[in-house]
Amino acid sequence: MRTALVTAVAGAVVAFLLGLLTFGVQATAHPHDVPLAVVAPPPIAERVAAAGSAEVDLRVVGAEEARTLLADKEVYGVLEIVPGQATIRLNPAINPSGTQVAQQVLTGVAQGAGLPLKVEARAVSAAERTAPLAASALLWVGGMVAGLLFVVLKGRKLRLLSSLTTAVLVVASVTGLLAWWGVTFNAEALGFLLVVAVSFALLQAGLFKHLGIRAMGILGLLYLMAPAVAGQVPELLNPVYKAVLWSWTPFRFSTEGLRTLMYDGSVSTEWWVFGGIALVGLVLLLAGQKTQPDRPDGVVDVGVDEADRLPRAERQHTA
């Protein structure tokens, strides 16, 4: 009876926590203070500024400033209004969820002004929209599976070599898959992908070294909850999820960094983030040797001699 009750409660608690950390992100998503820029003559600009709401942050700026803000990803979209015409400009390097909200809101503004509308944006395929988050998740899964098999197969040596080899092969696998979907990377994006893969593989190998198969409790949970957050933009997230999950998840940095580099942008913070993760993983790998190999079945080798079932250190040899 006790076992039945404990297992039932455990299942309910795990389901609640996973729902809270994964599906809860999408269930509570709602736009707030989404930054948008509008370029318009004074009379229209005044009406636009007065039409602000809690969902969007409409900034009335000059044409050059608006394009700079869009290029720097400070706004999700720009609406330029000239006599008789309205134009929406979007940046493909920005999260698609953000650009979708921007286009909907700015279209409404243009229609309210009674102007014909055109959209200027680089065409982005479904595969290109999916690729940054998909690549990040697959790199994590590849390193995690390799690290887990290293434990299950009772690997003892060359864990570092295994991690680096895993990173290279997983990057090759992911880029091949994306190329099949029609997505190709420039040299800098490919280099960034390799850095991400190395950092993930080193961190996972370090955790597996010290925790054994129990590391799956941490790595598996990170995989389940992080992609759900990384696929959103902060202005769509519930403030609690933004602070507790989005602010630190490495999937967010890898997804945003790769998307930026795909469209010839530049990143800086992301290089430092994954360099730091790789360093932590390397320290874990080099921090001492386990006194016994990883055993997936939980059996601990205490050095018992098979012949007489006594510890070898205490075994007495007769003359």
Side-chain angles (χ1 to χ4, degrees):
M1 178 67 180
R2 181 179 178 182
T3 300
L5 180 60
V6 169
T7 54
V9 170
V13 170
V14 170
F16 176 82
L17 290 177
L18 287 179
L20 182 67
L21 296 174
T22 55
F23 298 108
V25 176
Q26 284 106 4
T28 59
H30 181 72
H32 56 88
D33 297 322
V34 178
L36 305 171
V38 176
V39 180
I44 299 178
E46 292 174 3
R47 293 203 303 269
V48 168
S53 66
E55 285 76 20
V56 296
D57 175 18
L58 289 173
R59 310 177 187 181
V60 180
V61 297
E64 290 300 321
E65 182 180 358
R67 298 190 185 200
T68 300
L69 289 173
L70 185 61
D72 293 340
K73 298 190 292 185
E74 296 293 328
V75 295
Y76 291 108
V78 172
L79 175 65
E80 292 188 7
I81 298 176
V82 297
Q85 180 68 56
T87 302
I88 294 177
R89 303 185 190 280
L90 303 172
N91 183 353
I94 293 177
N95 190 304
S97 297
T99 56
Q100 182 179 16
V101 171
Q103 186 167 353
Q104 291 174 348
V105 173
L106 296 177
T107 296
V109 174
Q111 290 174 344
L115 296 172
L117 177 67
K118 68 176 182 177
V119 178
E120 289 188 1
R122 175 174 171 176
V124 177
S125 67
E128 288 176 312
R129 289 193 295 270
T130 304
L133 181 57
S136 301
L138 293 174
L139 293 182
W140 182 268
V141 170
M144 184 170 63
V145 170
L148 177 61
L149 287 177
F150 196 91
V151 173
V152 172
L153 297 177
K154 304 176 185 179
R156 301 187 185 187
K157 299 179 180 180
L158 304 179
R159 193 188 293 266
L160 176 59
L161 178 61
S162 173
S163 302
L164 297 177
T165 304
T166 296
V168 173
L169 293 181
V170 171
V171 167
S173 173
V174 169
T175 53
L177 178 63
L178 295 178
W180 183 39
W181 295 346
V183 180
T184 56
F185 296 136
N186 55 39
E188 190 173 8
L190 189 59
F192 179 77
L193 205 64
L194 183 59
V195 169
V196 173
V198 169
S199 67
F200 282 174
L202 289 177
L203 178 63
Q204 292 164 335
L207 289 175
F208 276 121
K209 174 184 176 182
H210 292 279
L211 299 179
I213 202 169
R214 291 168 295 181
M216 282 298 299
I218 299 173
L219 301 176
L221 180 61
L222 285 174
Y223 172 70
L224 288 174
M225 70 181 188
V229 179
Q232 298 284 351
V233 293
E235 290 82 8
L236 298 183
L237 291 173
N238 180 286
V240 175
Y241 284 113
K242 178 180 176 181
V244 176
L245 297 180
W246 182 88
S247 61
W248 62 267
T249 175
F251 287 88
R252 185 256 292 193
F253 293 100
S254 60
T255 300
E256 292 181 353
L258 185 57
R259 181 178 290 113
T260 297
L261 293 173
M262 283 174 61
Y263 300 104
D264 300 319
S266 61
V267 297
S268 57
T269 302
E270 287 81 357
W271 293 110
W272 289 101
V273 167
F274 291 105
I277 293 175
L279 180 60
V280 170
L282 188 60
V283 169
L284 288 174
L285 278 175
L286 300 179
Q289 296 295 324
K290 288 178 70 72
T291 57
Q292 52 195 342
D294 295 318
R295 298 295 295 272
D297 55 6
V299 177
V300 177
D301 183 4
V302 296
V304 176
D305 188 272
E306 294 296 333
D308 54 16
R309 311 303 297 172
L310 292 175
R312 287 189 291 272
E314 299 177 5
R315 184 181 177 192
Q316 301 295 325
H317 296 275
T318 57

